[in-house]
Amino acid sequence: MKNLTLDFGSGATGPIVLDVETQRLAEQVDGGWSAVHRFGVAVAVTWDKQNGMRVWHEPDIPRLLAELDRFAKVVTFNGENFDFKVLSAYGPVDALYKKSADMLVALREKLGFRVKLESVAVATLKRGKTASGTQSVDWWQSGDPVLRQKVVEYCKQDVEITRDIYLFGRNHGYVMIEDRRSGARRVEVAW
């Protein structure tokens, strides 16, 4: 996609983009959605200008948390209500909320309702996700190494989409969403 250039800075001065895929679904843990910290990390993926795309497996999560502390901003889509809560089972995450650039939170504040990453990706970038979080958990639980690698690839694609939506919004001052009532809709952003 063209026009997605922005000086992200480097190291701790620039943002890092994060996405987490889990080992379990809400209906598979006691407490369901109120116990997101019990979902377990299947894989986490980050992207930053200096290091590019990096994959973090469950044993790596304490190192991931230390790495996230080095950055001024953590860019996510639903990180505050999902990714950070999943990571909280592995160490302290309070600092992540203070430097969060959760695009879902920003869009929900503007719109008054939640939107899906897929809706923003298709309307803004003209490309969508390749799977769903539920499918990702199914692949992970299969134990099949080929399907587990698909989880990694799916998470990488979500990070690319999240990064590119963030960049588009920074460059243009808006993103698009698919609205069931009115089709594509422009939403002004300042992230």
Side-chain angles (χ1 to χ4, degrees):
M1 167 141 258
K2 60 186 194 176
N3 295 330
L4 290 181
T5 57
L6 179 72
D7 183 9
F8 257 70
S10 62
T13 63
I16 187 168
V17 182
L18 168 72
D19 188 52
V20 174
E21 299 305 324
T22 64
Q23 298 175 21
R24 290 174 288 283
L25 299 169
E27 58 269 15
Q28 297 172 329
V29 300
D30 289 337
W33 283 108
S34 63
V36 175
H37 63 283
R38 294 185 181 143
F39 288 17
V41 171
V43 66
V45 173
T46 58
W47 180 90
D48 66 271
K49 184 177 179 182
Q50 183 176 6
N51 299 293
M53 199 75 65
R54 291 184 284 169
V55 176
W56 309 80
H57 294 281
E58 189 175 34
D60 305 321
I61 301 307
R63 284 190 311 109
L64 168 62
L65 290 171
E67 181 69 357
L68 293 172
D69 281 343
R70 295 184 340 97
F71 288 83
K73 189 178 289 187
V74 180
V75 177
T76 63
F77 197 93
N78 199 25
E80 292 182 16
N81 279 323
F82 186 76
D83 304 79
F84 297 173
K85 289 181 179 181
V86 173
L87 294 175
S88 73
Y90 302 88
V93 296
D94 292 344
L96 298 180
Y97 289 92
K98 294 176 182 150
K99 56 172 114 185
S100 174
D102 187 333
M103 293 184 291
L104 177 58
V105 169
L107 290 170
R108 187 175 51 226
E109 287 173 1
K110 283 264 186 190
L111 298 167
F113 58 88
R114 289 175 52 106
V115 294
K116 293 184 176 195
L117 180 60
E118 175 78 3
S119 168
V120 183
V122 169
T124 304
L125 305 174
K126 309 299 184 230
R127 69 180 197 262
K129 294 166 52 86
T130 57
S132 70
T134 301
Q135 191 171 28
S136 170
V137 172
D138 290 342
W139 290 338
W140 188 262
Q141 289 179 352
S142 77
D144 181 326
V146 172
L147 292 178
R148 284 192 168 187
Q149 186 56 38
K150 283 181 80 166
V151 175
V152 172
E153 295 309 314
Y154 167 67
C155 194
K156 285 180 179 179
Q157 289 171 338
D158 271 7
V159 167
E160 288 174 1
I161 287 170
T162 301
R163 177 198 64 204
D164 292 351
I165 290 169
Y166 181 80
L167 287 171
F168 187 96
R170 286 289 303 261
N171 285 341
H172 300 287
Y174 72 92
V175 296
M176 301 294 292
I177 65 163
E178 287 291 325
D179 187 325
R180 284 179 245 180
R181 290 175 285 182
S182 60
R185 177 176 169 189
R186 181 178 169 139
V187 180
E188 305 297 319
V189 297
W191 48 59

